[in-house]
Amino acid sequence: CFGHPQSSMALLPVVTAGSLINHQSGRKSNVQLQWSKSRMQRSDLLQVSPEHLNNHEKYNYPVLAMDVISTRDIEKGEEIFLDYGPDWEHAWKKHEEEWASNSKEDRWTFQSAYQWNLKHQTTPHQVDTEGSIPDGILRICYILYEELPDREEIKCDGVSIRKFIAQNDESSAYAGRNAYECKLLSKEGYGGETDVSRCTYRVSIIESTEEGDIEIIIEGIPHNAVWYIDAPYRSDQHNSDAFRHIIGIPEDIWPEAWLNIFDRSDDEL
């Protein structure tokens, strides 16, 4: 988030690109922030107090935009840096000192879904057994499956069995509506440890219907339709030692109407 140490207002970017710009202070930075002159900009909001913005229905969906502009010529391939402000830099140095002084044994051991997705680009997915997936990671499958009339439905121990439908348009194949938490029951086709493209799997999912939740077994799931995600509130950003601090917006452009905190210690920033 972006903000100011003397304001309760915090600005959460809805576009991630700006959040990927790393910090360098002073002349080492090569870009800065300014309020956008876009026609979508609600400049009137810069004159309204945070309390009024929060409690007035007129401002339920405030639209504010900031531009990232260069402060000098930037060479091709040169990294972009933004000055996060002295409060952020002070908090980061304090975090580094405290991190170095803590015992590694006291830290939360963590494996990310990102690491598991990288690992399984070249290795087969393992059948679900106790402990086969680290705590805090969920396995999901992107699935479209065949719809069958009741008279043609195949069942095993009362559970419907369907076939995976291959999709030509990958943008729709990996849409969130097609993602199911899944249990991997068995490998089917298998090309060996080094050829995962030929691996297919038999999985179980829970489908919500008007009659309630039902279990469905899907056969023929390709390797690239199986992914891993961090379970809710289990990613490393929820570690008690994670660093959190607002990125400072320069004094000269922070609206005076938003300054509503005038006595705050460094530890609270």
Side-chain angles (χ1 to χ4, degrees):
C1 290
F2 294 84
H4 189 284
Q6 292 183 331
S7 177
S8 63
M9 176 78 78
L11 305 178
L12 176 64
V14 295
V15 178
T16 58
S19 303
L20 300 177
I21 302 175
N22 287 322
H23 165 74
Q24 285 284 10
S25 59
R27 294 185 178 182
K28 294 180 180 178
S29 64
N30 50 20
V31 297
Q32 66 184 24
L33 299 172
Q34 71 174 23
W35 293 109
S36 177
K37 297 179 181 179
S38 163
R39 61 183 181 84
M40 298 292 293
Q41 178 79 307
R42 286 284 305 274
S43 297
D44 59 308
L45 301 180
L46 305 180
Q47 311 301 322
V48 182
S49 71
E51 294 79 10
H52 198 61
L53 282 171
N54 191 46
N55 296 314
H56 200 293
E57 62 181 17
K58 177 181 177 182
Y59 306 114
N60 279 348
Y61 300 100
V63 178
L64 286 168
M66 301 198 79
D67 294 331
V68 178
I69 62 170
S70 64
T71 56
R72 59 169 175 80
D73 292 340
I74 299 174
E75 300 294 329
K76 182 178 180 180
E78 182 182 357
E79 184 172 355
I80 293 174
F81 290 108
L82 176 69
D83 189 339
Y84 290 2
D87 292 318
W88 185 96
E89 190 161 17
H90 170 73
W92 175 252
K93 289 179 179 178
K94 181 180 178 183
H95 174 75
E96 282 187 310
E97 292 169 0
E98 292 175 349
W99 181 269
S101 64
N102 290 339
S103 168
K104 290 184 178 179
E105 295 179 0
D106 295 334
R107 296 178 190 157
W108 178 16
T109 57
F110 174 75
Q111 293 188 61
S112 71
Y114 174 77
Q115 292 169 320
W116 268 64
N117 285 321
L118 285 180
K119 170 184 175 181
H120 289 94
Q121 286 180 0
T122 55
T123 60
H125 301 288
Q126 299 302 309
V127 172
D128 276 273
T129 57
E130 185 176 353
S132 60
I133 300 176
D135 188 30
I137 293 179
L138 302 177
R139 185 179 352 237
I140 62 168
C141 298
Y142 288 93
I143 295 173
L144 280 181
Y145 57 84
E146 62 182 357
E147 296 289 348
L148 296 174
D150 289 342
R151 65 181 181 276
E152 297 181 18
E153 191 167 12
I154 302 172
K155 292 192 175 184
C156 175
D157 296 329
V159 179
S160 297
I161 300 177
R162 309 291 177 86
K163 293 288 186 182
F164 177 85
I165 299 175
Q167 299 168 66
N168 295 324
D169 182 2
E170 288 207 355
S171 62
S172 63
Y174 291 96
R177 64 180 179 274
N178 297 330
Y180 296 83
E181 187 175 351
C182 60
K183 182 178 181 181
L184 201 155
L185 303 176
S186 63
K187 294 189 184 79
E188 297 177 326
Y190 182 49
E193 291 293 331
T194 59
D195 187 10
V196 295
S197 65
R198 293 172 56 192
C199 290
T200 57
Y201 306 90
R202 194 172 194 250
V203 306
S204 168
I205 65 170
I206 301 298
E207 179 75 276
S208 296
T209 69
E210 293 180 357
E211 290 74 31
D213 292 346
I214 60 171
E215 182 183 7
I216 299 175
I217 292 175
I218 314 293
E219 297 178 332
I221 303 292
H223 183 85
N224 62 3
V226 182
W227 288 79
Y228 301 89
I229 61 172
D230 295 314
Y233 306 108
R234 295 304 305 273
S235 68
D236 56 353
Q237 67 179 325
H238 296 285
N239 188 331
S240 60
D241 289 334
F243 177 71
R244 298 176 179 87
H245 197 279
I246 60 170
I247 295 174
I249 290 181
E251 293 272 356
D252 59 341
I253 66 170
W254 188 262
E256 186 175 352
W258 293 0
L259 296 173
N260 61 348
I261 297 175
F262 301 102
D263 185 16
R264 176 176 281 191
S265 68
D266 287 347
D267 289 341
E268 296 177 300
L269 295 177

